[in-house]
Amino acid sequence: ERVPMLFAGDGGSASHVHVDRRPLLQFCHVLHGTKLFGVSAQAAAGSEGGPVVPWSDAGAAGGGAEEEVALPVDAPLPEGAARWLLRPEVSVAAARPGDLLLFQGRAAHFGANGLGSVCVALFHGAQLVRPPLPPREPEAEVEAEAEAEAEAE
C-alpha cells in the first residue's frame, strides 16, 4: 500500500476477529497508547476476508454483525475466546509507542485499544515478493538432509 492507514480508538475498543480481504504482510506502528494484538498462525478455514469466530463450530462467520466477535480489554472474555487465546498457534502481544508489529493479514487476528487511553497506530500493508513456502514436515526435513548427505558422498 502506498499510503499507510491510520487507526485510532478509545481505550477498550477493539476490532472484531477477522481475516483481511487483501492478504498482505501487515506492519503496525503504534504512535500513542497501547494496542493488544492476537494473531493465529493458521488461516481461518473457509474465510475469504471479513469476520471469523475461530472458537465456534462453524469456524468462519457469514459476515453478519451478530457474528462479529471483538475481544475488548476492559471486560471479561467469553470462555471460548479465552481458550482460543491460550492455543499454541495464537500469539498475543502488547505494543506501546514506537513498537512495530508484523503479521500476515490472511491469519485470523484482532487488535484491541487499551488500558484506559486512546490508541493511535499506522498500518502499512506490503505484498510478499514470492509466496511463502509451505511448512515442512519434520520427517521430510530429515529425509532431505539424508539425501543431501548421500549426494555429497
Side-chain angles (χ1 to χ4, degrees):
E1 298 171 327
R2 292 182 188 266
V3 178
M5 295 186 296
L6 179 69
F7 285 85
D10 291 330
S13 62
S15 70
H16 56 273
V17 178
H18 65 283
V19 173
D20 294 345
R21 293 193 193 317
R22 292 183 61 207
L24 301 175
L25 179 63
Q26 293 292 331
F27 296 77
C28 172
H29 180 199
V30 178
L31 303 175
H32 179 80
T34 302
K35 186 167 278 289
L36 179 71
F37 269 94
V39 180
S40 174
Q42 298 176 343
S47 62
E48 301 281 327
V52 295
V53 186
W55 50 88
S56 76
D57 290 336
E66 70 281 356
E67 294 170 321
E68 293 185 7
V69 178
L71 300 176
V73 294
D74 60 349
L77 291 173
E79 185 177 331
R83 280 196 314 271
W84 179 69
L85 289 172
L86 292 171
R87 293 180 66 153
E89 71 271 13
V90 176
S91 296
V92 178
R96 305 264 314 153
D99 290 344
L100 184 67
L101 289 165
L102 284 78
F103 63 93
Q104 290 284 351
R106 70 172 178 244
H109 61 278
F110 74 93
N113 299 309
L115 312 175
S117 69
V118 171
C119 179
V120 179
L122 290 173
F123 281 79
H124 314 262
Q127 183 72 42
L128 294 174
V129 175
R130 63 172 177 77
L133 297 174
R136 292 179 67 173
E137 297 295 323
E139 298 84 30
E141 217 168 285
V142 170
E143 288 174 15
E145 287 175 12
E147 287 176 12
E149 288 176 12
E151 288 177 10
E153 294 175 354

